[in-house]
Amino acid sequence: MSLDSMTDSVDKAVSGFFEPVATWLGEVVFYSVPVAGTELPLIVAWLAVAGLVFSAWFGFIQLRKFRLAVDVVRGKYDEKGSAGEVNHFQALTAAVSGTVGLGNIAGVAVAVSIGGAGATFWMILCGLLGMATKFVEVTLGVKYREVHADGTVSGGPMHYLPKGLAERFGSGGKVLGKVLAVFASVLILFFGLFGGNLFQVNQGYAQLVSVTGGESGVLGSSGGALFFGLLIAALVGIVLIGGIRSIASVTSRLVPAMAGLYIVACLVVILANISAVPAAIGTIIEGAFNPEGVAGGVLGALIIGFKRAAFSNEAGLGSAPIAHSAVKTKHPASEGLVALLEPFIDTVIVCTMTALTIVIASPDSWKVGSGDVQGVTITSDAFETVLPWFPYVLTVAVLLFAISTVLTWGYYGLKAWTYLFGRSRGSEITYKILYTVFSVAGALLTLQTLISMADAFLFTLAVINIVGLYLLAPVVKRELNSFLAFVKRRKNGEDDEPEPEPKAPASVGALTG
């Protein structure tokens, strides 16, 4: 049996077995209700409302404290002797590498194709709201993280849900928190293997094949796929063995490089059509409030924009706190402020650059209401309107995005795995071998059914995670006040004195005042 026929058989067998489950789960998690002639996925509304609630709750902190967040990233408020493994900048780039990916290239193109240019406006708004949600969940991630004897750190919803709920609600909260923690770990692990690993490698390989002669090219054969998979697996395995320090070291260089490369590519297209920029911006604004050819009109464009932004920046899903929890700090809210920059980079900057490039270049493949063209093709065609070789630049960007996402989700999955199966050396080695094998499979297999199921699993996590965020928001407010007091002392030139850990009130009522 040839390698081609074997992989096809595996694909068909897996799809046939899991397709009914994936279909049912997708219908439940992404359940939509008809609104004004279009479909509104309730999970998207859940994420958007959370962003609005937390923005109001914290006085639109994403705007008021944006400059402070940048100062924290720059190291202005670093504290000596802080527990953790990486600095603020490295934690940010590690987390950004998990969100900035193919969704910024292909997903945005789909948004402006189906929802028109106006979807861009609503996508930006959703990204701004998501900044507040990210602030809350990451502050909790650092607050309730676990620092191990060897100096390594574990954090995320599997830690702050059980600890935080137990602290606020006693034994009942402890039991509920532990159940939710196990559930969260399983969801993160499953998505990490299929969505964060296999899918990224598969799409990266597909884009590389497309610019190297297609299936008849040098990498189009099964042998070429196997070589690519083994190469990615080797790179991922080497970095993953080094833990978050190694991942952060790579992503702190890779993320600025890939984001810079992609933004420069977009700017070349925009500058080549500089006279069209004002009209393009006008088209985006007009399309947001008076869209043509979009089901549901304004609401339809809004839903599509919010949907793509929510899927891109992952605010509220509970994944990013895993990476941010490894930061060196004594004030959890300091990293929460850093984290609010993540949706800004991912959605407000990178996604907007993609959308603006497509609107300005207006390639023939971009047709509002058409679902026939794949998103990455539209973006590639937009680049090609300026220079024929620009799709190669896009390919490099896609590969960098894919590799960085695989690395970060490898770390996320490891933390979920060790929460479920322990932190023994054997347990960690088993996971790392499993994860690298999935990287090889990504080039050979599609397993689209499992990837769809992984998406549903990840967004299921948003339901329980955001409930936890609502219940623990008062804790975040106390942590924010503590950090702002520290910043004030630092600005006044006072000595940094260690503050006692804020104590949780004995009753729920004490937090409602």
Side-chain angles (χ1 to χ4, degrees), residues 7-22 190 194 198 445-451 453:
T7 54
D8 285 344
S9 297
V10 172
D11 261 332
K12 290 178 180 178
V14 170
S15 295
F17 184 80
F18 284 101
E19 188 168 6
V21 179
F190 194 89
F194 291 96
L198 190 147
L445 305 168
T446 57
L447 300 182
Q448 187 59 51
T449 299
L450 287 180
I451 293 168
M453 195 157 68

Side-chain angles (χ1 to χ4, degrees), residues 61 65-66 68-79 82-97 130-145 153 155-156 160 244 248 251 319-343 345 411-412 476 479-484 486-487:
I61 190 171
K65 300 300 179 183
F66 187 91
L68 176 59
V70 174
D71 287 340
V72 175
V73 173
R74 292 171 50 217
K76 186 174 181 179
Y77 298 103
D78 286 354
E79 302 166 83
S82 298
E85 300 183 74
V86 296
N87 61 37
H88 289 290
F89 177 73
Q90 291 174 322
L92 176 64
T93 55
V96 167
S97 69
M131 293 168 71
T133 305
K134 193 80 79 167
F135 161 75
V136 174
E137 63 182 346
V138 169
T139 299
L140 292 172
V142 179
K143 165 72 175 175
Y144 295 108
R145 64 183 176 176
V153 177
Y160 61 73
I244 187 62
T251 56
S319 51
I322 301 174
H324 285 286
S325 295
V327 71
K328 296 177 180 177
T329 186
K330 297 177 183 177
H331 292 88
S334 67
E335 188 61 19
L337 289 171
V338 169
L340 65 77
L341 297 174
E342 193 181 323
I345 295 169
Y411 178 71
Y412 292 171
V476 178
E479 291 296 340
L480 175 61
N481 291 336
S482 173
F483 179 63
L484 294 180
F486 163 76
V487 170

Side-chain angles (χ1 to χ4, degrees), residues 398-442:
V398 166
L399 289 174
L400 292 178
F401 284 151
I403 292 172
S404 67
T405 302
V406 171
L407 289 175
T408 297
W409 272 99
Y411 178 71
Y412 292 171
L414 176 61
K415 291 305 178 182
W417 176 280
T418 53
Y419 185 86
L420 293 171
F421 303 109
R423 295 183 60 252
S424 68
R425 180 175 175 81
S427 174
E428 292 193 2
I429 290 176
T430 299
Y431 168 80
K432 291 172 182 177
I433 292 174
L434 178 65
Y435 197 77
T436 53
V437 168
F438 268 72
S439 295
V440 178

Side-chain angles (χ1 to χ4, degrees), residues 6 15 27 43 61 82 103 105 125 159 188 228 233 245-246 253 274 283 285 298 315 347 365 376 378 390 447 476 503:
M6 184 173 68
S15 295
E27 290 175 350
I43 188 65
I61 190 171
S82 298
I105 300 174
L125 179 60
H159 291 276
I188 291 170
F228 179 82
R245 289 188 179 93
S246 179
R253 294 172 175 80
I274 191 66
T283 299
I285 296 175
V298 173
T347 306
S365 55
V376 70
I378 299 174
F390 248 55
L447 300 182
V476 178
K503 295 182 179 180

